[in-house]
Amino acid sequence: MTALHTPATLNLVPFVSVDHMMKLVLHLGVERVLADLAGYIADDFRRWPEFDKTPRIAAHSPDGVIELMPAADRRAYGFKYVNGHPKNTASGRQTVTAFGMLADVATGYPVLLTEMTILTALRTAAMSALAARHLAPEGAATMAIIGNGAQSEFQALAFRALLGIDRLRLWDTDPAATAKFRRNLDGAGFTITTCRSAEAAVEGAEIITTVTADKRRATILSDNMVGAGVHLNAVGGDCPGKTELAAGILTRADIFVEYAPQTRIEGEIQQLAPDHPVTEFWQVLTGDAPGRRAADAVTLFDSVGFAIEDFSALRYIRDRVAETPFAQDLDLLADPDDPRDLYGMVMRAG
Amino acid sequence: MTALHTPATLNLVPFVSVDHMMKLVLHLGVERVLADLAGYIADDFRRWPEFDKTPRIAAHSPDGVIELMPAADRRAYGFKYVNGHPKNTASGRQTVTAFGMLADVATGYPVLLTEMTILTALRTAAMSALAARHLAPEGAATMAIIGNGAQSEFQALAFRALLGIDRLRLWDTDPAATAKFRRNLDGAGFTITTCRSAEAAVEGAEIITTVTADKRRATILSDNMVGAGVHLNAVGGDCPGKTELAAGILTRADIFVEYAPQTRIEGEIQQLAPDHPVTEFWQVLTGDAPGRRAADAVTLFDSVGFAIEDFSALRYIRDRVAETPFAQDLDLLADPDDPRDLYGMVMRAG
C-alpha cells in the first residue's frame, strides 16, 4: 500500500475522508482506537494549564447551532467545526456533523484536515471511559446505558476497553434503537440485558450512562433511581436547556466536569447555583484533586465535550494515519516560488 | 467538461483547490472576478445589520498568529482560517495562508470548502476599490502603489476594473518587487512609472495605496507627503503594532473603516484616541453617512480585512464554481442510512 499521507510539497495537506476514517478505525480496531484516544486525552489533560482555552464560538439560528471549537498548546493548534440541527433528520441529514483541522503553531500551516463526525463519537466515548476509570467504584462490572442511539455502542466498547465492563443493561424509549445496539454488538462478547424501563435498567448497575437525544429539560434519571456507590456518566445533556438528571441527584453527587466555565452553561450543572462546587477532571489526573472519595459516594461526570478532547483526537489521527494509506493530499495552500509573486503564479496557471 | 461541483450525495462537499481557484480566476478573467467580488461585498455591506458579527478569534504564539474569522447571516455561515507568520519565508513557506468554508444555516451542512490565500488577495483588492469608488476624488486617474508585493497587482487591477485607474506610480524598498510588478502587468494597458522614493511616487497621485509588509510601526507616508484632495488606501497596517501612516495624516483625514471595534485594535487608527470619530463604510453604501465631503478633503480607507468580506467571497465562489468543473467532491460528512447507526456504518465499511 502506498502511504499517501506524506505530502510531496508544502502546498499539500493530508485529508482523512469519512471513508478513510472508517477504514482507519477498522484497520486499528475500534477498542484499540478508543483506548489510544483515552491515552492521548489523558496526556493532554495532565498538561491542562499549558493550553490556550476558549469557550466554543457559537452561531445560533432558529434551526440549530454552528460552532467553532479551537484549542492550542505551544506546538499545535486545532479546531473543530460542528453543527447541531435537530430537524435535520426530517431531510435525511445528520443532526450533528463535524470536521476539524490541526496546524503547526510554528508556521501556521495545516498538517491535517479530517472528518470528525465519527472521530467525535470515538473521543466522547474515550473521554467518558477515562473519567470513569478514575471515578467509578472499584470492581464495577455492569453498566446501564439509557439511550441507545449513535453514541451508545462507542460508550460500551470504551468502557470495556478501559474498565473491563462487559455486562450491559439497555433501555431506550424506542425499542428499535435497542435492537440496533444488540444487532451491532451481537457476538462481541458482552452480556446484554434489554430492560423495560430506565428504572429496570439501573438495577444492579455500578455505572449509569445517560446518552439520550432529548433536547429539553428531561428527567431521564429521577432522584430515587440513583443509590449509593454509583458512577453517573451523563453524556446527553450538552447544551443550554438540555439536561437529563433530576437536580436532587446533583446535590448528592461529587461532580466532575471538563471545563467549568463551559459546563456551567451547557451541562447538568446548569440546574445548580453558579458557585456549586465542582472539580475539573484534569485535576484528578494530575493528583491535584481527589477522584472517588468513598465506596458509597455518588460520582457524576457531567460531560459536554471540550475542545482539548478534539485536539487530542486530531493529534492521534495525525500520528496514526501517517502509518497508513488512509489519507489523500489536498492542494489547499498557495505556494508560489516567490512569496511576493502570488499574481504571477495565478497567471502562469493558464 | 463535467461539472464536478454538484455533489451526488449529501456526504459530499465541493472543494476548490489552489489549482482550481487559479483556473477559475483565469476562466472568468481576473478583472471580472474583482468587479464581481466588489459587487458581492457591496450587497453584503448594504445589509450589514443583518450579520452576526464577531471579532476574529486569534491564537497568538511567539512565531505568529492563527485566526478564525466567522460571519453569518440568516441563510449562510462562513469562516476563514488564516495564519500570519513573518518568519515563514525563511523556510520557503508563505507568511499568510488561508482556507475557508461556507455552510447552510438551516442545516449546518458545509456547502463549500476552498483555498482562500488567492481568494483573500482578490477580495482585499476588491474591497479597496469598492471603498475608493465612493471616497476617491472624482476623475482620479493616477494611483501610487507603495509596496509592490503579493497584493499590489491585485490592487492595480481592481482599481482599473472599478474606477478606470490606468496610471500607476510604483515604489518599493526592494527594486526586485517593483520589477516583478512591471513584468506581471507588462502589456496589460497600464502606464507605469517606477519611482525612486515614496515621496516621488505620490507626486500627482489622487489615490495612494500603501501595502507594505513591514511588521512594526513604520512611517511609509509622512505628514507632508499627503496633500489636499487625496484618497488614501491603507492596506498594509493590519495588526496591533503594525501601522504605515504618520499620525498627523490621520487627524486631518476623514476616516472610513470596515468594523470599528476591530479596526481600532488592528488598523492605522490604533494610533488615535479610542473615541476618535470614524465612519463604518457600510453606512456610506446605505446612504446613512456621507462619503467624500469635498474635493479637497483627505479621505482614508483604513483597511484591515473583515470576516464579511470573506463571507461575500465564499458566496461568490459557491455561485460561480457551480458553472464550472473547477471543484472536486470531498467525502467530508458521515451519512449513515440510519442516523442512530453510526457504529453500524463504521463496521460495514470493512
Side-chain angles (χ1 to χ4, degrees):
Chain A
M1 293 192 293
T2 312
L4 298 173
H5 63 279
T6 308
T9 58
L10 290 172
N11 64 308
L12 300 177
V13 177
F15 167 64
V16 179
S17 68
V18 172
D19 187 55
H20 274 148
M21 182 62 75
M22 296 193 294
K23 293 193 161 94
L24 178 65
V25 170
L26 291 171
H27 169 73
L28 297 169
V30 61
E31 284 185 72
R32 177 187 158 191
V33 170
L34 289 161
D36 286 353
L37 280 171
Y40 271 66
I41 293 171
D43 287 346
D44 288 336
F45 272 42
R46 281 194 197 94
R47 54 194 189 86
W48 186 271
E50 291 175 25
F51 279 88
D52 187 0
K53 290 172 283 292
T54 317
R56 58 183 88 194
I57 301 118
H60 294 275
S61 67
D63 293 322
V65 63
I66 293 175
E67 298 176 333
L68 295 174
M69 298 170 69
D73 65 8
R74 281 169 299 207
R75 285 185 302 174
Y77 170 100
F79 80 85
K80 180 166 82 171
Y81 170 98
V82 58
N83 74 296
H85 285 71
K87 289 183 213 156
N88 267 7
T89 46
S91 63
R93 291 179 172 79
Q94 302 304 299
T95 303
V96 175
T97 63
F99 72 92
M101 192 220 64
L102 193 71
D104 178 7
V105 163
T107 64
Y109 268 43
V111 297
L112 175 71
L113 186 76
T114 178
E115 89 79 37
M116 286 192 80
T117 311
I118 295 164
L119 189 57
T120 298
L122 290 160
R123 73 85 162 134
T124 300
M127 179 73 238
S128 282
L130 173 65
R133 197 164 56 182
H134 294 264
L135 302 175
E138 227 166 301
T142 303
M143 177 161 78
I145 303 182
I146 299 178
N148 304 150
Q151 173 63 206
S152 58
E153 296 95 337
F154 296 103
Q155 288 282 335
L157 292 162
F159 276 74
R160 183 166 70 184
L162 270 81
L163 289 93
I165 300 290
D166 59 3
R167 279 176 271 166
L168 303 174
R169 299 179 64 79
L170 306 183
W171 190 71
D172 195 292
T173 50
D174 181 359
T178 308
K180 175 240 14 166
F181 182 111
R182 294 195 72 133
R183 217 163 38 236
N184 279 334
L185 293 187
D186 183 39
F190 289 99
T191 302
I192 301 179
T193 306
T194 299
C195 304
R196 278 171 305 173
S197 67
E199 287 81 354
V202 304
E203 271 173 37
E206 299 97 350
I207 299 173
I208 304 173
T209 289
T210 56
V211 57
T212 67
D214 220 336
K215 195 175 177 165
R216 59 189 169 92
R217 298 220 175 211
T219 305
I220 309 300
L221 294 184
S222 58
D223 201 3
N224 64 317
M225 288 163 67
V226 178
V230 162
H231 174 64
L232 300 170
N233 173 40
V235 179
D238 62 357
C239 66
K242 181 163 182 271
T243 59
E244 294 181 320
L245 308 188
I249 300 170
L250 305 182
T251 53
R252 283 194 287 132
D254 292 333
I255 302 175
F256 299 83
V257 302
E258 289 140 318
Y259 181 51
Q262 182 177 312
T263 311
R264 291 200 190 275
I265 296 167
E266 301 173 0
E268 296 299 326
I269 59 170
Q270 65 186 274
Q271 304 180 68
L272 301 179
D275 60 350
H276 189 91
V278 301
T279 301
E280 289 191 335
F281 177 67
W282 67 273
Q283 298 184 294
V284 177
L285 289 176
T286 57
D288 292 328
R292 169 166 289 270
R293 294 176 306 164
D296 65 351
V298 173
T299 50
L300 164 63
F301 178 55
D302 188 1
S303 166
V304 296
F306 185 55
I308 292 178
E309 294 148 40
D310 298 312
F311 177 92
S312 309
L314 287 164
R315 282 205 306 117
Y316 176 64
I317 295 301
R318 179 202 53 190
D319 291 352
R320 279 300 83 71
V321 84
E323 303 152 11
T324 77
F326 304 125
Q328 67 190 88
D329 288 346
L330 286 193
D331 170 28
L332 187 62
L333 306 176
D335 186 34
D337 297 331
D338 172 359
R340 294 182 305 191
D341 199 12
L342 194 61
Y343 180 77
M345 182 183 75
V346 174
M347 289 305 113
R348 286 188 292 274
Chain B
M1 296 192 291
T2 313
L4 299 172
H5 65 279
T6 308
T9 59
L10 290 172
N11 64 307
L12 300 178
V13 177
F15 167 63
V16 179
S17 68
V18 172
D19 188 55
H20 274 148
M21 182 63 75
M22 297 193 292
K23 292 194 162 95
L24 178 65
V25 170
L26 291 171
H27 169 70
L28 297 169
V30 61
E31 285 185 71
R32 177 188 158 189
V33 169
L34 289 161
D36 286 353
L37 281 170
Y40 271 67
I41 294 170
D43 287 347
D44 287 337
F45 271 42
R46 280 195 198 94
R47 55 196 189 84
W48 186 272
E50 289 176 26
F51 279 87
D52 188 0
K53 287 171 286 289
T54 317
R56 59 182 88 193
I57 300 117
H60 294 275
S61 67
D63 293 322
V65 62
I66 293 176
E67 299 177 332
L68 295 173
M69 298 169 68
D73 65 8
R74 282 170 298 208
R75 285 185 302 174
Y77 171 97
F79 81 84
K80 179 166 81 171
Y81 170 97
V82 59
N83 75 296
H85 285 70
K87 290 183 214 157
N88 268 7
T89 46
S91 63
R93 290 179 172 80
Q94 302 304 300
T95 303
V96 175
T97 63
F99 71 93
M101 192 220 64
L102 193 72
D104 178 9
V105 163
T107 64
Y109 268 43
V111 297
L112 174 71
L113 186 74
T114 179
E115 87 81 35
M116 285 192 82
T117 311
I118 296 164
L119 189 57
T120 298
L122 290 161
R123 73 86 162 132
T124 300
M127 180 71 237
S128 282
L130 173 65
R133 196 163 58 181
H134 293 265
L135 301 177
E138 226 166 301
T142 303
M143 177 159 80
I145 303 183
I146 298 177
N148 303 151
Q151 172 63 206
S152 58
E153 296 95 336
F154 296 104
Q155 288 281 335
L157 291 162
F159 275 74
R160 182 166 71 184
L162 270 80
L163 289 91
I165 300 291
D166 59 4
R167 278 176 272 167
L168 304 174
R169 299 178 64 78
L170 306 183
W171 190 71
D172 195 292
T173 50
D174 181 359
T178 308
K180 175 242 10 169
F181 182 110
R182 293 196 73 134
R183 216 162 41 235
N184 279 333
L185 293 187
D186 183 41
F190 288 99
T191 302
I192 302 180
T193 306
T194 298
C195 303
R196 279 171 304 173
S197 67
E199 288 81 354
V202 303
E203 271 173 38
E206 298 97 350
I207 300 173
I208 304 173
T209 288
T210 56
V211 57
T212 67
D214 221 337
K215 196 175 176 166
R216 58 187 169 93
R217 297 219 175 212
T219 305
I220 309 299
L221 294 183
S222 58
D223 201 3
N224 65 315
M225 287 163 66
V226 178
V230 162
H231 174 64
L232 300 171
N233 173 42
V235 179
D238 62 356
C239 66
K242 183 163 182 270
T243 59
E244 294 181 319
L245 307 188
I249 300 170
L250 305 182
T251 52
R252 283 193 285 132
D254 291 335
I255 302 175
F256 299 83
V257 302
E258 288 140 318
Y259 181 50
Q262 182 177 311
T263 311
R264 291 199 190 276
I265 296 166
E266 302 174 359
E268 296 299 326
I269 59 170
Q270 66 187 275
Q271 305 180 68
L272 301 179
D275 60 349
H276 189 92
V278 301
T279 302
E280 290 191 335
F281 177 67
W282 66 273
Q283 298 184 295
V284 177
L285 288 175
T286 58
D288 292 328
R292 169 165 288 270
R293 293 178 306 164
D296 64 352
V298 173
T299 50
L300 165 63
F301 179 55
D302 187 1
S303 167
V304 296
F306 186 55
I308 292 178
E309 293 148 41
D310 298 314
F311 178 93
S312 309
L314 287 163
R315 283 206 303 117
Y316 176 64
I317 295 300
R318 178 201 55 191
D319 291 352
R320 278 300 83 73
V321 84
E323 303 153 9
T324 77
F326 304 125
Q328 67 190 87
D329 287 346
L330 288 193
D331 169 31
L332 187 63
L333 306 174
D335 186 35
D337 297 333
D338 172 0
R340 294 181 306 190
D341 198 12
L342 193 61
Y343 179 76
M345 182 182 74
V346 174
M347 289 304 113
R348 286 188 292 275

